[in-house]
Amino acid sequence: MVNETVTSATESVAVIERQGAFADRDAWTAEGMCRMERSLALIGTRSALVLLREVFLGATRFEDLVNRSGLSEAVAAGRLKELVTHGVLTRRPYRDPGSRTRQEYVLTDLGSRLFPVLVSMIEWGELLDDDHHTGVELIHKQCGSPIKTEITCDNDHPVTLGDTAVRLKREPRTTPRTRPGASRDPR
């Protein structure tokens, strides 16, 4: 178990606790196997994120995606191709009367799972100190209240940064009862 806080000259800030083989962080590198790194390689560019924003907001046609995103046709085409190749978007044929068949871009199940990321980025963007006094607000259609992201474990417990630990996959689960040095007495 590694310290849960980093202490600076002025304050302590919670960090993710490292456990098991991950505790000796300098003993190995995460390069090439980090899920966050893999995600960023696909969606971590401004062009990918603004295209995804527009798809989430209902744009499906190439010309709408280009116009609403502010990207050049070449950049949009390349990024859309990449998002389709990796299963984030799929192409679906459509045909306007009197026109040839074209393709539109729609979210796949994998792509729709980025919704909490979109919400988190909007929430985080609200914290930035800038002069933007306008913007969008995501709300719950049924009640009109703003939506927010919340982190929970598989048992639906709310989890904060200080409540979080990280271990390498395939290591045995560490629970309060089995954590080294933890009391086995249930009292």
Side-chain angles (χ1 to χ4, degrees), residues 156-168:
D156 290 327
H157 302 127
V159 179
T160 65
L161 179 57
D163 295 332
T164 304
V166 62
R167 65 176 179 244
L168 295 177

Side-chain angles (χ1 to χ4, degrees), residues 60-93:
T60 59
R61 297 181 178 190
F62 181 76
E63 55 276 0
D64 293 336
L65 290 166
V66 169
N67 291 333
R68 294 175 186 176
S69 69
L71 300 172
S72 70
E73 286 187 7
V75 169
R79 192 63 67 206
L80 288 166
K81 181 178 179 182
E82 195 172 77
L83 293 169
V84 168
T85 298
H86 292 284
V88 177
L89 299 175
T90 191
R91 291 172 47 152
R92 184 173 62 193

Side-chain angles (χ1 to χ4, degrees), residues 18 28-29 66 73 85 94 99 105 115 121 133 139 153 178:
R18 297 184 313 270
W28 58 278
T29 179
V66 169
E73 286 187 7
T85 298
Y94 74 92
S99 298
Y105 297 89
F115 178 63
M121 291 188 74
H133 300 289
I139 59 171
C153 70
T178 61

